[in-house]
Amino acid sequence: MKEQQTPKYRQLKEEIVSWIATAQFKPHDKLPSENEIAARFGFSRQTVRQALGDLEAEGWLYRSQGKGTFVAEAERGRPRPEAQRQLTIGMMTTHISDYIFPTIVRGVESALRAHGSRLLLASTDNEKERERESLESMLLQQLGGLIVEPTKSAEGNPNLDYYLALEARRIPYVMLNERYSDLDAPCLKVDDELGGYRAAEHLAKLGHRRIAGFFKTDDFQGVRRMRGFMRCLRERMLALQPDFLVRYATEEKGAKPAEALAELLRRPADARPTAVVCYNDELAVRLLDVVRLSGLSVPADLSMVGFDDASLAVATEVKLTTLEHPKTRMGEDAVALLMKLMDGRAEAGDAGDVVYDPKLIVRQSTGPAPEPEAK
């Protein structure tokens, strides 16, 4: 039980929902009595009665006169088709106010307004435990559907039980940017491997032979971008030195990539990279500062490619070459796909993914490889 400022009856509701979500209690299983629950958590019987009454009204539980309180079938909690679009649509992302996420959210909000639906937002801060808490909270709502960006998708899905609870309660959901490998939900995402390939290809065509790559690999976006990057170098017979490939986790993004690039740029001109492919534009902007502090310039000494075409890409004096991310369109398309699932016009396993082509946008941060210094 969480120690929070949340009202006690709501804390208890969340705890009972977690029992059901994790299959500790299955449909038609009898719950402990009000007295037993009150004694277990130290709550009054009035608090227990209020929590059970709410859960019964929401379709989680049902009472049998003289027998007790039981877990309801999932169908009991399913909203009627004609009412679905008036219900709240949930959206969980790793962040809400940072980077490209506000634009994605605006796309979702705009599309939902056209359907007369309300948006309930939650941020996981890219933490698995926060994702679990957000899923618990969402399951307490009368949701018509849910839009989810998975948290550190390449590190597995410890919250599978909650996604199974969504499915058991027939709450459709779609995933953004990537999908956990153990789920079959429709996903809207950029072709990240193709984007990584195109970034390296662009630099190779400009004559660069020493190309470094910096990728966040606790999510599948970074893994696939790195895969495309490496595939391009292999196809062009360009050697990739082990220390030219820098992989990092979310918690390391503030220091590790910058320290690694600073170390590489301290090398003699003929031993350091002449170009860098970055996981995203946010990282590229951070690394621009490293280049400046090293006494070098972009693109004369080092070409850089970002990813996502975020507002950051044109916010500095050096406008970034980058790969396009649909952002607003992705949000709108996510709502359209979710509505199909809610209306029964598509089933989760048959709906298919929406994959966007990452167009290369060439700006000032890339140029021809520097000429070798005369000896």
Side-chain angles (χ1 to χ4, degrees):
M1 182 71 66
K2 301 172 191 173
E3 295 297 329
Q4 301 175 340
Q5 298 304 312
T6 309
K8 290 181 178 180
Y9 83 93
R10 186 173 176 84
Q11 291 182 41
L12 183 56
K13 283 178 65 176
E14 292 178 359
E15 184 71 15
I16 294 172
V17 167
S18 74
W19 295 350
I20 299 170
T22 55
Q24 296 176 53
F25 289 85
K26 301 179 179 63
H28 307 299
D29 282 353
K30 183 180 178 181
L31 290 186
S33 69
E34 290 181 5
N35 285 337
E36 289 170 330
I37 294 175
R40 177 173 176 179
F41 296 110
F43 290 160
S44 68
R45 282 195 64 187
Q46 178 58 35
T47 296
V48 175
R49 199 170 294 123
Q50 183 178 1
L52 295 180
D54 279 9
L55 291 173
E56 182 182 8
E58 292 166 9
W60 290 95
L61 306 173
Y62 68 93
R63 296 178 191 268
S64 179
Q65 187 66 33
K67 294 182 179 179
T69 303
F70 299 80
V71 177
E73 290 278 6
E75 183 66 24
R76 289 175 181 258
R78 186 182 181 188
R80 296 186 304 274
E82 65 271 19
Q84 281 182 337
R85 294 194 177 185
Q86 300 303 317
L87 293 175
T88 298
I89 300 299
M91 183 176 185
M92 292 168 40
T93 59
T94 53
H95 303 283
I96 292 175
S97 59
D98 299 335
Y99 196 48
I100 63 173
F101 298 102
T103 312
I104 298 173
V105 171
R106 282 197 295 272
V108 171
E109 285 181 318
S110 174
L112 286 178
R113 267 197 305 272
H115 289 285
S117 299
R118 184 173 72 94
L119 178 63
L120 176 65
L121 272 174
S123 169
T124 68
D125 291 331
N126 215 25
E127 296 177 6
K128 299 286 192 182
E129 181 58 33
R130 286 291 300 275
E131 180 184 84
R132 188 175 190 86
E133 292 171 0
S134 295
L135 285 166
E136 278 188 15
S137 180
M138 290 289 181
L139 277 164
L140 285 170
Q141 309 298 318
Q142 188 77 325
L143 292 182
L146 184 62
I147 299 169
V148 182
E149 185 200 20
T151 297
K152 296 180 181 177
S153 54
E155 293 190 348
N157 179 16
N159 299 323
L160 176 62
D161 47 359
Y162 281 85
Y163 289 102
L164 293 178
L166 287 170
E167 295 175 12
R169 302 197 68 77
R170 303 188 186 183
I171 299 173
Y173 62 96
V174 300
M175 309 205 91
L176 296 182
N177 292 322
E178 259 304 338
R179 167 180 49 224
Y180 288 123
S181 58
D182 52 7
L183 295 178
D184 197 29
C187 181
L188 300 95
K189 60 183 179 178
V190 171
D191 189 334
D192 289 299
E193 183 169 341
L194 178 59
Y197 185 97
R198 284 178 174 167
E201 179 185 50
H202 173 65
L203 294 168
K205 286 180 177 179
L206 289 171
H208 293 275
R209 295 294 175 265
R210 298 192 303 277
I211 306 173
F214 289 69
F215 300 97
K216 187 166 78 74
T217 52
D218 54 9
D219 61 51
F220 281 130
Q221 297 100 294
V223 171
R224 300 194 202 288
R225 291 172 190 182
M226 181 178 69
R227 184 182 299 164
F229 166 81
M230 295 176 67
R231 178 164 62 87
C232 178
L233 297 190
R234 280 196 298 268
E235 289 180 5
R236 290 177 172 268
M237 306 293 286
L238 298 177
L240 178 62
Q241 298 180 38
D243 53 0
F244 276 24
L245 185 63
V246 178
R247 294 174 291 175
Y248 62 96
T250 298
E251 293 76 15
E252 300 171 312
K253 70 178 184 178
K256 183 176 179 179
E259 292 169 358
L261 181 61
E263 178 64 30
L264 290 173
L265 295 183
R266 282 194 282 268
R267 296 180 179 182
D270 61 355
R272 69 187 181 221
T274 63
V276 174
V277 173
C278 300
Y279 165 75
N280 64 9
D281 297 333
E282 182 181 40
L283 176 65
V285 169
R286 284 201 187 103
L287 296 187
L288 277 172
D289 289 335
V290 176
V291 178
R292 293 188 197 99
L293 290 172
S294 300
L296 303 174
S297 65
V298 173
D301 301 300
L302 186 76
S303 287
M304 299 183 72
V305 181
F307 208 115
D308 293 330
D309 192 27
S311 58
L312 288 171
V314 293
T316 65
E317 73 277 12
V318 179
K319 311 309 178 189
L320 287 175
T321 295
T322 187
L323 280 300
E324 188 177 48
H325 186 292
K327 297 182 281 294
T328 301
R329 180 183 167 193
M330 176 181 279
E332 294 169 346
D333 290 348
V335 172
L337 180 54
L338 187 60
M339 290 295 174
K340 286 183 180 180
L341 296 172
M342 290 166 57
D343 291 345
R345 288 177 284 147
E347 293 293 331
D350 303 321
D353 293 342
V354 178
V355 182
Y356 303 96
D357 187 342
K359 176 186 174 185
L360 179 72
I361 301 170
V362 179
R363 297 195 181 105
Q364 301 168 336
S365 67
T366 53
E371 292 290 335
E373 293 184 6
K375 294 185 179 180

Coordinates of all heavy atoms in Angstrom, one line a residue, residues 141-203:
Q141 N -9.7 4.5 -14.0 CA -10.6 5.4 -14.8 C -11.5 4.6 -15.7 O -11.2 3.5 -16.1 CB -9.8 6.4 -15.7 CG -8.7 7.1 -14.9 CD -9.3 8.0 -13.8 OE1 -10.3 8.7 -14.0 NE2 -8.6 8.0 -12.6
Q142 N -12.6 5.2 -16.1 CA -13.5 4.6 -17.1 C -13.0 5.0 -18.5 O -13.5 5.9 -19.2 CB -14.9 5.1 -16.9 CG -16.0 4.4 -17.7 CD -16.3 3.0 -17.2 OE1 -15.5 2.3 -16.6 NE2 -17.5 2.6 -17.4
L143 N -11.9 4.3 -18.9 CA -11.2 4.7 -20.2 C -11.9 4.1 -21.4 O -12.4 2.9 -21.3 CB -9.8 4.2 -20.2 CG -8.8 4.9 -19.2 CD1 -7.4 4.3 -19.4 CD2 -8.8 6.4 -19.4
G144 N -12.0 4.8 -22.5 CA -12.4 4.3 -23.7 C -11.2 3.6 -24.4 O -11.4 2.6 -25.2
G145 N -10.0 4.1 -24.2 CA -8.8 3.5 -24.8 C -7.6 4.2 -24.2 O -7.7 5.2 -23.5
L146 N -6.4 3.7 -24.6 CA -5.2 4.2 -24.1 C -4.1 4.3 -25.2 O -4.0 3.4 -26.0 CB -4.7 3.3 -22.9 CG -3.4 3.7 -22.2 CD1 -3.6 5.0 -21.4 CD2 -3.1 2.6 -21.1
I147 N -3.3 5.4 -25.1 CA -2.2 5.6 -26.0 C -0.9 5.6 -25.1 O -0.8 6.3 -24.2 CB -2.3 6.9 -26.8 CG1 -3.5 7.0 -27.7 CG2 -1.0 7.2 -27.6 CD1 -3.9 8.3 -28.2
V148 N 0.0 4.7 -25.5 CA 1.2 4.5 -24.6 C 2.5 4.6 -25.3 O 2.6 4.0 -26.4 CB 1.1 3.1 -23.9 CG1 2.3 2.9 -23.0 CG2 -0.2 2.9 -23.2
E149 N 3.4 5.4 -24.8 CA 4.8 5.3 -25.2 C 5.5 4.4 -24.2 O 5.6 4.8 -23.0 CB 5.5 6.6 -25.4 CG 6.9 6.5 -25.9 CD 7.8 7.7 -25.7 OE1 7.5 8.5 -24.7 OE2 8.8 7.8 -26.4
P150 N 6.1 3.3 -24.6 CA 6.7 2.4 -23.6 C 8.0 3.0 -23.0 O 8.6 3.9 -23.6 CB 7.0 1.1 -24.4 CG 7.1 1.6 -25.8 CD 6.1 2.7 -25.9
T151 N 8.2 2.6 -21.8 CA 9.4 3.1 -21.0 C 10.6 2.2 -21.2 O 10.5 1.0 -20.9 CB 9.0 3.2 -19.5 OG1 8.0 4.2 -19.4 CG2 10.2 3.6 -18.7
K152 N 11.7 2.7 -21.7 CA 12.9 1.9 -21.9 C 12.5 0.5 -22.5 O 12.8 -0.5 -22.0 CB 13.6 1.7 -20.6 CG 14.2 3.0 -20.0 CD 14.9 2.8 -18.7 CE 15.4 4.1 -18.1 NZ 16.0 3.9 -16.8
S153 N 12.0 0.6 -23.7 CA 11.4 -0.6 -24.4 C 12.4 -1.7 -24.6 O 12.0 -2.9 -24.6 CB 10.8 -0.2 -25.7 OG 11.7 0.5 -26.5
A154 N 13.7 -1.4 -24.7 CA 14.7 -2.4 -25.0 C 15.0 -3.2 -23.7 O 15.8 -4.2 -23.8 CB 15.9 -1.8 -25.6
E155 N 14.6 -2.7 -22.5 CA 14.9 -3.4 -21.3 C 13.8 -4.3 -20.7 O 13.8 -4.6 -19.5 CB 15.3 -2.3 -20.2 CG 16.6 -1.6 -20.6 CD 17.1 -0.7 -19.4 OE1 16.3 -0.5 -18.5 OE2 18.2 -0.2 -19.5
G156 N 12.9 -4.6 -21.6 CA 11.9 -5.6 -21.1 C 10.6 -4.9 -20.5 O 10.6 -3.6 -20.4
N157 N 9.7 -5.7 -20.2 CA 8.4 -5.1 -19.8 C 8.0 -5.7 -18.4 O 7.2 -6.7 -18.4 CB 7.3 -5.5 -20.8 CG 5.9 -5.0 -20.5 OD1 5.8 -4.1 -19.6 ND2 4.9 -5.5 -21.2
P158 N 8.4 -5.2 -17.3 CA 8.0 -5.7 -16.0 C 6.6 -5.5 -15.6 O 6.1 -6.0 -14.7 CB 9.0 -5.0 -15.0 CG 9.3 -3.7 -15.7 CD 9.3 -4.0 -17.2
N159 N 5.9 -4.7 -16.4 CA 4.5 -4.3 -16.2 C 3.5 -5.1 -17.1 O 2.4 -4.6 -17.3 CB 4.3 -2.8 -16.3 CG 5.2 -2.0 -15.3 OD1 5.3 -2.5 -14.2 ND2 5.7 -0.9 -15.8
L160 N 3.9 -6.2 -17.6 CA 3.1 -7.0 -18.5 C 1.7 -7.3 -17.8 O 0.7 -7.3 -18.5 CB 3.8 -8.3 -18.8 CG 3.0 -9.3 -19.7 CD1 2.6 -8.7 -21.0 CD2 3.8 -10.6 -19.9
D161 N 1.7 -7.6 -16.5 CA 0.4 -7.9 -15.9 C -0.6 -6.8 -16.0 O -1.8 -7.1 -16.2 CB 0.6 -8.3 -14.4 CG 1.5 -7.2 -13.7 OD1 2.0 -6.3 -14.3 OD2 1.7 -7.4 -12.4
Y162 N -0.2 -5.5 -16.0 CA -1.1 -4.4 -16.2 C -1.6 -4.3 -17.6 O -2.7 -3.9 -17.9 CB -0.5 -3.1 -15.7 CG -0.5 -3.1 -14.2 CD1 0.5 -3.6 -13.4 CD2 -1.6 -2.4 -13.5 CE1 0.4 -3.6 -12.0 CE2 -1.6 -2.4 -12.2 CZ -0.6 -3.0 -11.4 OH -0.7 -3.0 -10.0
Y163 N -0.7 -4.6 -18.6 CA -1.2 -4.6 -20.0 C -2.1 -5.7 -20.2 O -3.1 -5.6 -21.0 CB 0.0 -4.7 -20.9 CG 0.8 -3.4 -21.0 CD1 2.0 -3.3 -20.3 CD2 0.3 -2.3 -21.6 CE1 2.7 -2.1 -20.3 CE2 1.0 -1.1 -21.6 CZ 2.2 -1.0 -21.0 OH 2.9 0.2 -21.0
L164 N -1.9 -6.9 -19.6 CA -2.9 -8.0 -19.7 C -4.2 -7.6 -19.0 O -5.3 -8.0 -19.5 CB -2.3 -9.2 -19.0 CG -1.1 -9.8 -19.7 CD1 -0.5 -11.1 -19.0 CD2 -1.4 -10.2 -21.2
A165 N -4.1 -6.8 -18.0 CA -5.4 -6.3 -17.3 C -6.1 -5.4 -18.3 O -7.4 -5.5 -18.3 CB -5.0 -5.6 -16.0
L166 N -5.4 -4.6 -19.0 CA -6.1 -3.8 -20.0 C -6.9 -4.6 -21.0 O -8.0 -4.4 -21.4 CB -5.1 -2.9 -20.8 CG -4.5 -1.7 -20.0 CD1 -3.4 -1.1 -20.8 CD2 -5.6 -0.6 -19.7
E167 N -6.2 -5.7 -21.5 CA -6.7 -6.6 -22.5 C -7.9 -7.4 -21.9 O -9.0 -7.5 -22.5 CB -5.7 -7.5 -23.0 CG -4.6 -6.8 -23.8 CD -3.4 -7.7 -24.3 OE1 -3.6 -9.0 -24.1 OE2 -2.4 -7.2 -24.7
A168 N -7.7 -7.8 -20.6 CA -8.8 -8.5 -20.0 C -10.1 -7.7 -19.8 O -11.2 -8.2 -19.9 CB -8.4 -9.1 -18.6
R169 N -9.9 -6.4 -19.6 CA -11.0 -5.5 -19.5 C -11.5 -4.9 -20.8 O -12.3 -4.0 -20.8 CB -10.7 -4.4 -18.4 CG -10.3 -5.0 -17.1 CD -10.4 -4.0 -16.0 NE -11.8 -3.6 -15.7 CZ -12.7 -4.3 -15.0 NH1 -12.3 -5.5 -14.5 NH2 -13.9 -3.9 -14.9
R170 N -10.8 -5.4 -21.8 CA -11.2 -5.0 -23.2 C -11.1 -3.5 -23.4 O -11.9 -2.8 -24.0 CB -12.6 -5.5 -23.6 CG -12.7 -7.0 -23.4 CD -14.0 -7.5 -23.9 NE -14.2 -8.9 -23.6 CZ -15.2 -9.7 -24.0 NH1 -16.2 -9.1 -24.7 NH2 -15.2 -10.9 -23.7
I171 N -10.0 -2.9 -22.9 CA -9.6 -1.5 -23.1 C -8.6 -1.5 -24.2 O -7.4 -1.9 -23.9 CB -9.1 -0.8 -21.8 CG1 -10.2 -0.9 -20.7 CG2 -8.7 0.6 -22.1 CD1 -9.7 -0.4 -19.4
P172 N -8.9 -1.1 -25.4 CA -7.9 -1.1 -26.5 C -6.8 -0.1 -26.2 O -7.0 1.0 -25.6 CB -8.7 -0.7 -27.7 CG -9.9 0.0 -27.2 CD -10.2 -0.5 -25.8
Y173 N -5.6 -0.4 -26.7 CA -4.5 0.5 -26.6 C -3.6 0.4 -27.8 O -3.5 -0.6 -28.4 CB -3.7 0.3 -25.3 CG -3.0 -1.0 -25.1 CD1 -1.7 -1.2 -25.4 CD2 -3.8 -2.1 -24.6 CE1 -1.1 -2.4 -25.3 CE2 -3.1 -3.4 -24.5 CZ -1.8 -3.5 -24.8 OH -1.2 -4.8 -24.6
V174 N -2.9 1.5 -28.1 CA -1.9 1.6 -29.1 C -0.6 2.1 -28.5 O -0.6 2.8 -27.5 CB -2.4 2.4 -30.3 CG1 -3.7 1.9 -30.9 CG2 -2.5 3.9 -29.9
M175 N 0.5 1.8 -29.2 CA 1.8 2.3 -28.7 C 2.5 3.2 -29.6 O 2.3 3.1 -30.9 CB 2.7 1.1 -28.4 CG 2.0 0.0 -27.5 SD 3.1 -1.1 -26.6 CE 3.2 -0.1 -25.0
L176 N 3.2 4.2 -29.1 CA 3.9 5.2 -29.9 C 5.4 4.9 -29.9 O 6.0 4.6 -28.8 CB 3.6 6.6 -29.3 CG 2.2 7.1 -29.3 CD1 2.2 8.5 -28.7 CD2 1.6 7.1 -30.7
N177 N 6.0 5.2 -31.0 CA 7.5 5.2 -31.2 C 8.1 3.8 -31.1 O 9.0 3.5 -31.9 CB 8.2 6.1 -30.2 CG 7.9 7.6 -30.5 OD1 7.8 8.0 -31.6 ND2 7.7 8.3 -29.4
E178 N 7.6 2.9 -30.3 CA 8.0 1.5 -30.2 C 7.0 0.7 -29.4 O 6.0 1.2 -28.9 CB 9.4 1.4 -29.6 CG 10.5 1.2 -30.6 CD 10.3 0.0 -31.6 OE1 9.6 -0.9 -31.2 OE2 10.9 0.0 -32.7
R179 N 7.3 -0.6 -29.4 CA 6.4 -1.5 -28.7 C 7.2 -2.5 -27.9 O 8.3 -2.9 -28.3 CB 5.6 -2.2 -29.7 CG 4.8 -3.4 -29.2 CD 4.0 -4.1 -30.3 NE 4.8 -4.4 -31.5 CZ 4.4 -4.1 -32.7 NH1 3.2 -3.6 -33.0 NH2 5.2 -4.3 -33.8
Y180 N 6.7 -2.9 -26.7 CA 7.4 -4.0 -26.0 C 7.3 -5.2 -26.8 O 6.3 -5.5 -27.4 CB 6.7 -4.2 -24.6 CG 7.0 -3.1 -23.6 CD1 5.9 -2.4 -23.0 CD2 8.3 -2.8 -23.3 CE1 6.2 -1.4 -22.1 CE2 8.5 -1.8 -22.3 CZ 7.5 -1.1 -21.7 OH 7.7 -0.1 -20.8
S181 N 8.4 -6.0 -26.8 CA 8.5 -7.2 -27.6 C 7.4 -8.3 -27.3 O 7.1 -9.2 -28.1 CB 9.9 -7.8 -27.6 OG 10.2 -8.1 -26.3
D182 N 6.9 -8.2 -26.0 CA 6.0 -9.3 -25.6 C 4.5 -8.9 -25.8 O 3.6 -9.5 -25.3 CB 6.2 -9.7 -24.1 CG 6.3 -8.5 -23.2 OD1 6.0 -7.4 -23.6 OD2 6.6 -8.7 -22.0
L183 N 4.3 -7.7 -26.4 CA 2.9 -7.3 -26.7 C 2.6 -7.3 -28.2 O 3.5 -7.2 -29.0 CB 2.7 -5.8 -26.1 CG 2.8 -5.7 -24.6 CD1 2.7 -4.2 -24.2 CD2 1.8 -6.6 -23.9
D184 N 1.3 -7.3 -28.5 CA 0.9 -7.4 -29.9 C 0.0 -6.2 -30.2 O -0.7 -6.2 -31.2 CB 0.1 -8.7 -30.1 CG -0.1 -9.0 -31.6 OD1 0.9 -8.6 -32.3 OD2 -1.1 -9.6 -32.0
A185 N 0.2 -5.1 -29.4 CA -0.6 -3.9 -29.7 C -0.1 -3.2 -31.0 O 1.0 -3.2 -31.3 CB -0.5 -3.0 -28.5
P186 N -1.0 -2.6 -31.7 CA -0.6 -1.8 -32.9 C 0.4 -0.7 -32.4 O 0.2 -0.1 -31.3 CB -1.9 -1.2 -33.4 CG -3.0 -2.0 -32.8 CD -2.5 -2.5 -31.5
C187 N 1.3 -0.4 -33.3 CA 2.3 0.6 -33.0 C 2.5 1.6 -34.1 O 2.5 1.3 -35.3 CB 3.7 -0.1 -32.7 SG 5.0 1.0 -32.3
L188 N 2.7 2.9 -33.7 CA 2.9 3.9 -34.7 C 4.4 4.4 -34.4 O 4.7 4.8 -33.3 CB 2.0 5.1 -34.5 CG 0.5 4.8 -34.7 CD1 -0.2 4.5 -33.3 CD2 -0.2 6.0 -35.4
K189 N 5.2 4.3 -35.5 CA 6.7 4.5 -35.2 C 7.3 4.9 -36.5 O 6.9 4.6 -37.6 CB 7.3 3.3 -34.7 CG 7.3 2.0 -35.6 CD 7.9 0.8 -34.9 CE 7.8 -0.4 -35.8 NZ 8.4 -1.6 -35.1
V190 N 8.5 5.6 -36.4 CA 9.3 5.9 -37.5 C 10.1 4.7 -37.8 O 10.4 3.9 -37.0 CB 10.3 7.1 -37.1 CG1 11.3 7.3 -38.1 CG2 9.5 8.4 -36.8
D191 N 10.5 4.5 -39.1 CA 11.4 3.5 -39.5 C 12.8 3.9 -39.0 O 13.6 4.5 -39.8 CB 11.4 3.3 -41.0 CG 12.2 2.0 -41.4 OD1 13.1 1.6 -40.7 OD2 11.8 1.5 -42.5
D192 N 13.1 3.6 -37.8 CA 14.4 4.1 -37.2 C 15.6 3.5 -37.8 O 16.6 4.2 -37.9 CB 14.3 3.8 -35.7 CG 13.3 4.7 -34.9 OD1 13.5 5.9 -35.0 OD2 12.4 4.1 -34.3
E193 N 15.5 2.2 -38.2 CA 16.7 1.6 -38.8 C 17.0 2.3 -40.1 O 18.2 2.6 -40.4 CB 16.5 0.1 -39.0 CG 17.7 -0.5 -39.6 CD 17.7 -2.1 -39.6 OE1 16.8 -2.6 -38.9 OE2 18.4 -2.7 -40.4
L194 N 16.0 2.6 -40.9 CA 16.2 3.3 -42.2 C 16.8 4.7 -41.9 O 17.6 5.2 -42.6 CB 14.9 3.4 -42.9 CG 14.9 4.2 -44.3 CD1 15.9 3.5 -45.2 CD2 13.5 4.2 -44.9
G195 N 16.3 5.4 -40.9 CA 16.8 6.7 -40.5 C 18.3 6.7 -40.2 O 19.1 7.5 -40.6
G196 N 18.7 5.7 -39.3 CA 20.1 5.5 -39.0 C 20.9 5.3 -40.2 O 22.1 5.8 -40.3
Y197 N 20.4 4.5 -41.1 CA 21.1 4.2 -42.4 C 21.3 5.4 -43.2 O 22.4 5.7 -43.7 CB 20.3 3.1 -43.2 CG 21.0 2.6 -44.4 CD1 21.8 1.5 -44.4 CD2 21.0 3.3 -45.6 CE1 22.4 1.0 -45.5 CE2 21.6 2.9 -46.7 CZ 22.4 1.7 -46.7 OH 23.0 1.3 -47.8
R198 N 20.2 6.2 -43.3 CA 20.3 7.4 -44.2 C 21.2 8.5 -43.6 O 21.9 9.2 -44.4 CB 18.9 8.0 -44.3 CG 18.0 7.2 -45.3 CD 16.6 7.8 -45.4 NE 15.9 7.1 -46.5 CZ 14.5 7.2 -46.6 NH1 13.8 8.0 -45.8 NH2 13.9 6.6 -47.6
A199 N 21.3 8.5 -42.3 CA 22.2 9.5 -41.7 C 23.7 9.2 -42.0 O 24.4 10.0 -42.4 CB 22.0 9.5 -40.1
A200 N 24.0 7.9 -41.9 CA 25.4 7.5 -42.2 C 25.7 7.6 -43.7 O 26.7 8.0 -44.1 CB 25.6 6.0 -41.7
E201 N 24.7 7.2 -44.5 CA 24.8 7.3 -45.9 C 25.1 8.7 -46.4 O 25.9 8.9 -47.3 CB 23.5 6.7 -46.6 CG 23.6 6.7 -48.1 CD 22.3 6.3 -48.7 OE1 21.2 6.8 -48.3 OE2 22.3 5.4 -49.6
H202 N 24.4 9.6 -45.8 CA 24.6 11.1 -46.2 C 26.0 11.5 -45.9 O 26.7 12.1 -46.8 CB 23.6 11.9 -45.4 CG 23.8 13.4 -45.6 ND1 23.6 14.1 -46.8 CD2 24.2 14.3 -44.7 CE1 23.9 15.3 -46.6 NE2 24.2 15.5 -45.3
L203 N 26.5 11.1 -44.8 CA 27.9 11.5 -44.4 C 28.9 10.8 -45.3 O 29.9 11.4 -45.7 CB 28.2 11.2 -43.0 CG 27.3 12.0 -42.0 CD1 27.4 11.4 -40.6 CD2 27.8 13.5 -42.0

